[in-house]
Amino acid sequence: MSDEAEDKIKMALTSLESKVKEFKYMQNHHEKEIGDIKEDVFNLEKYIKQEFAELHQFLLDKEEQLIQQLKNDEANSLKQMEGNLECIKQEIVTYLVTESDGNLEDKIKGEDSLKIMEENVKSVENDAMAINSISHSNVEIRQPEPVDLLTKVE
């Protein structure tokens, strides 16, 4: 072979070696970038999981806090309502005691008198209706005398 052919082969070989070196550099660079991207994805995934774990814990704590607050509000409301109910019961008992103090028998008599009076009124009304229906007869109508059932007993 001639020197010229040898030089061409050496130049071609040098050019190929340079291109191989450049491709290896690019391959290493891309592999490093791929590694960096994989590491970034791993770190981002880890961060997301950590943030969601913290958010989940926050929500659990908030749920527990709200449930406890609801139970406290319920207990306070029930306690207040039970206190109010007790006051109402005491007021009723006090009212009944003061009202019935010595007047219970009078009230019973008054209620009985009221029933008797209502019966008398109904009887008088029935009599008046009967008298109106016999308007052509010679029957003398008398005014009933007052019974004094409406006067207050003291």
Side-chain angles (χ1 to χ4, degrees), residues 125-140:
E125 286 175 351
N126 289 338
D127 289 346
M129 290 174 63
I131 291 171
N132 282 337
S133 67
I134 313 175
S135 63
H136 296 295
S137 68
N138 290 337
V139 177
E140 182 180 322

Side-chain angles (χ1 to χ4, degrees), residues 28-87:
N28 287 339
H29 180 71
H30 286 320
E31 285 176 355
K32 184 180 180 330
E33 282 183 3
I34 290 171
D36 289 345
I37 289 172
K38 285 184 178 183
E39 185 179 345
D40 289 345
V41 167
F42 175 78
N43 289 335
L44 186 57
E45 183 179 339
K46 183 178 173 183
Y47 172 76
I48 290 171
K49 286 181 179 181
Q50 179 183 349
E51 287 296 309
F52 272 95
E54 289 175 13
L55 180 60
H56 183 71
Q57 186 61 47
F58 170 79
L59 291 173
L60 287 175
D61 293 344
K62 191 67 173 175
E63 176 187 22
E64 186 178 319
Q65 175 193 0
L66 290 173
I67 289 172
Q68 187 61 44
Q69 181 181 354
L70 181 64
K71 287 180 180 180
N72 290 343
D73 290 348
E74 176 189 27
N76 290 339
S77 293
L78 287 176
K79 186 176 180 180
Q80 182 180 4
M81 291 177 79
E82 287 170 355
N84 290 345
L85 182 60
E86 192 60 36
C87 287

Side-chain angles (χ1 to χ4, degrees), residues 4-5 8 34 40 42 53 57 77 85 91-94 97 104 108 119 123 126 128 130 134-135 144 150-151:
E4 209 176 288
K8 280 185 177 181
I34 290 171
D40 289 345
F42 175 78
Q57 186 61 47
S77 293
L85 182 60
E91 288 178 20
I92 290 172
V93 168
T94 303
V97 167
L104 186 58
I108 292 172
E119 289 172 4
S123 175
N126 289 338
I134 313 175
S135 63
L150 295 177
T151 56

Side-chain angles (χ1 to χ4, degrees), residues 2-12:
S2 73
D3 281 336
E4 209 176 288
E6 236 179 76
D7 284 340
K8 280 185 177 181
I9 292 177
K10 281 184 182 180
M11 279 177 65

